[in-house]
Amino acid sequence: MARGRTARGSRAAVALLLLVAPACTIGVRREETPRASRTPAAPVSVPPCRTTYAAPDPDRPRITLTFDVDPSYARVTGTERVVFTPDAPVRDVVFRLWANGPGPVAHGGRIEVTSASLPMAFEQAGAGRGTQGTLLRLALPAESPAGKAITVDLAFTLTLPRAEVDRWGHTAQTAWWASAHPMLAWVRGRGWDTTPAVGILGETAANETARYDVTVVAPFGDTVFGIAIPDEPVATAEGKRRWRFVNDVARDVAVTVGRFTTRTREVGGVPARFAVSDELATGTRAERILDDVVTDTVRSMETFTRLFGSYPYESLTVVALDSIRGAGVEYPAFFWVGSRRYDVVVPHELAHLWFYGLVGNDQGDHPWLDESFASYAEGLVNRASGDEFVATASAGGAVGRPMSHWDEDEENYGRLVYAKGGGMLLVSRAEVGAAAFDKMLRCYVNKNAHRVATPEDVRTAFAPAPVVVDILRDAGALP
């Protein structure tokens, strides 16, 4: 997620975009490490490693979702079926209800699970007042062994909050939501993730890759965007249209419904859809926004596929919403941008499709594992961002703290996790040389593709260059 400097004040403070003043933001068409203060170290010998992405787990969950959007755009009813094969014995099945967190609830949003195929119990786990909680436990009749598939059915109602810079909201003619269905909370090798929700604007989930089959029923004249290129919509007996999206390796779901100016083209060899909400712009202005977003997507994709590996999804969707303003929010094969700053927002959000989408992480415990790497990638594409990050690399404060800490220190979240975190990686690249650093990072991506990575995985990847490990340790990213 691209975010900006905010005063502590309200938990709902608007996220103006991160770090670089608009007049100083200059896109560049060459990939070049920004200036760093260190002198190059001795050459690094990087041992052989995987040359392709690790395959997704063949037993990953199968999740089938339906969303039915009310004509008011404020309410969505849904159903969910999960077929889940744990890698350890379980006595219950746990889901996260992130839409009951303090942020959405403060603006009138929430999720209510109305039925389940197993007995339900709820826990607050940081939830906003008056909700079921952010944790749902479904009790199994007996302990289920590792390797045995479990099927669970749920029904729920999602109330979308008033429009804010966030991953869920609605206006009089647009609805958008993400991380908004009951989300399976299992992490292989670790078990159930029950970390409490926090109020700071940012991601806190730890999601495994799953096979998603998503159907959205929306008002007839609207267009729906999601985590894949949809099938042709089908009219329903109720006078709506049904849209279907299938993504075989997604960690989450994002949906947008409304009226848009759209453009379709190939980017990096995959079909891509770009859209501008009619609430943001129409006509010539909408086309200019599309020109900017497409241009920044193409040049960012060129750099990232060369350095990190092939684009990890079968399609790409980018939607510009007025309510996102100067920020951006990422989801598998999909991201939102706002009304400006595309040369900063687009590379940051696109980079997240590798760092969070392909290589997952526990965003609540280790937010730097996706945000610092996305800032690093942004700094390679946008020289002004990169120079700002490098200048912040020596700032005081630890990069590697969890979201529970940043919830109490929000004013330093962007400065340390985004800027200093991106800077420490850019300084590391300058220290050991681009070739060696890029190879070690590529090894990290290949090994941890479709997994939930940890800081120890980063340490292992950069072990051939102890100076990099030292830089990350000094920055407080590694213990």
Side-chain angles (χ1 to χ4, degrees):
M1 180 175 185
R3 58 174 288 123
R5 292 176 177 150
T6 61
R8 176 63 178 166
S10 167
R11 303 243 182 200
V14 172
L16 305 174
L17 195 93
L18 128 103
L19 294 167
V20 185
C24 300
T25 301
I26 304 172
V28 296
R29 296 186 180 275
R30 65 188 185 281
E31 171 266 313
E32 177 182 342
T33 303
R35 293 183 299 275
S37 59
R38 296 173 181 256
T39 56
V44 174
S45 176
V46 182
C49 65
R50 288 191 64 97
T51 58
T52 59
Y53 297 151
D57 186 345
D59 291 328
R60 62 193 178 278
R62 296 178 179 271
I63 301 175
T64 304
L65 284 163
T66 65
F67 297 104
D68 194 328
V69 184
D70 187 83
S72 69
Y73 298 100
R75 186 170 179 269
V76 179
T77 55
T79 64
E80 179 173 10
R81 167 164 285 190
V82 175
V83 181
F84 159 60
T85 305
D87 59 341
V90 294
R91 294 181 178 274
D92 52 16
V93 182
V94 179
F95 292 86
R96 298 313 303 258
L97 309 178
W98 293 114
N100 285 339
V105 171
H107 294 94
R110 66 190 56 223
I111 184 173
E112 179 183 3
V113 179
T114 54
S115 67
S117 57
L118 293 168
M120 298 189 294
F122 297 93
E123 299 174 22
Q124 285 299 293
R129 292 183 178 180
T131 69
Q132 291 177 325
T134 71
L135 203 81
L136 166 62
R137 292 186 185 272
L138 303 182
L140 294 166
E143 183 176 88
S144 186
K148 180 181 179 180
I150 301 168
T151 300
V152 175
D153 290 294
L154 302 161
F156 58 92
T157 299
L158 177 66
T159 301
L160 295 173
R162 300 182 299 277
E164 286 289 333
V165 181
D166 212 335
R167 68 205 70 252
W168 29 53
H170 81 280
T171 65
Q173 58 185 13
T174 307
W176 64 97
W177 65 91
S179 301
H181 62 284
M183 297 186 65
L184 187 70
W186 187 259
V187 178
R188 284 170 295 167
R190 193 175 88 185
W192 299 117
D193 175 36
T194 59
T195 306
V198 294
I200 185 174
L201 178 64
E203 297 86 1
T204 53
N207 303 326
E208 290 280 5
T209 297
R211 304 176 190 267
Y212 273 100
D213 188 330
V214 181
T215 297
V216 181
V217 181
F220 191 87
D222 287 351
T223 302
V224 180
F225 299 93
I227 57 172
I229 302 297
D231 298 339
E232 281 297 314
V234 177
T236 71
E238 296 77 23
K240 295 182 173 182
R241 286 196 296 176
R242 180 181 294 108
W243 303 69
R244 182 176 179 230
F245 304 83
V246 177
N247 189 318
D248 203 42
V249 288
R251 296 183 188 275
D252 203 341
V253 170
V255 176
T256 310
V257 178
R259 305 293 178 98
F260 298 85
T261 301
T262 63
R263 186 178 297 179
T264 301
R265 60 162 293 169
E266 276 201 358
V267 177
V270 300
R273 300 179 81 197
F274 300 87
V276 176
S277 168
D278 286 0
E279 294 178 310
L280 172 57
T282 58
T284 302
R285 182 169 175 241
E287 293 297 334
R288 285 201 301 266
I289 290 173
L290 288 170
D291 287 342
D292 290 344
V293 172
V294 169
T295 296
D296 288 314
T297 301
V298 169
R299 69 190 181 94
S300 300
M301 181 76 82
E302 182 181 58
T303 295
F304 299 161
T305 54
R306 177 166 53 83
L307 294 181
F308 308 147
S310 61
Y311 178 72
Y313 300 103
E314 294 183 352
S315 66
L316 172 65
T317 299
V318 184
V319 177
L321 293 178
D322 185 54
S323 295
I324 301 297
R325 304 184 191 180
V329 190
E330 77 285 351
Y331 279 86
F334 177 103
F335 59 90
W336 287 296
V337 296
S339 57
R340 58 191 182 275
R341 308 293 303 285
Y342 303 122
D343 58 340
V344 173
V345 177
V346 168
H348 187 97
E349 303 309 331
L350 183 63
H352 272 306
L353 303 193
W354 280 265
F355 301 106
Y356 154 73
L358 179 62
V359 179
N361 62 290
D362 186 326
Q363 297 169 303
D365 284 348
H366 309 296
W368 76 272
L369 285 181
D370 61 296
E371 295 298 353
S372 296
F373 278 103
S375 290
Y376 162 78
E378 173 196 329
L380 293 177
V381 174
N382 187 300
R383 183 60 181 265
S385 292
D387 285 345
E388 180 74 17
F389 299 155
V390 167
T392 312
S394 59
V399 170
R401 295 183 181 275
M403 291 298 279
S404 57
H405 170 85
W406 302 119
D407 192 39
E408 302 300 326
D409 187 21
E410 186 173 350
E411 63 269 22
N412 286 316
Y413 177 46
R415 183 178 71 90
L416 296 178
V417 175
Y418 287 69
K420 181 177 179 177
M424 72 183 180
L425 295 168
L426 290 165
V427 168
S428 296
R429 190 174 192 252
E431 176 76 17
V432 300
F437 187 89
D438 295 347
K439 184 174 181 180
M440 289 183 289
L441 182 55
R442 188 75 170 261
C443 291
Y444 168 75
V445 171
N446 288 341
K447 180 180 179 181
N448 294 288
H450 305 112
R451 306 293 190 269
V452 175
T454 68
E456 190 57 36
D457 293 315
V458 176
R459 184 194 302 275
T460 298
F462 289 112
V467 65
V468 174
V469 175
D470 288 344
I471 291 170
L472 271 57
R473 185 188 299 114
D474 291 347
L478 298 177

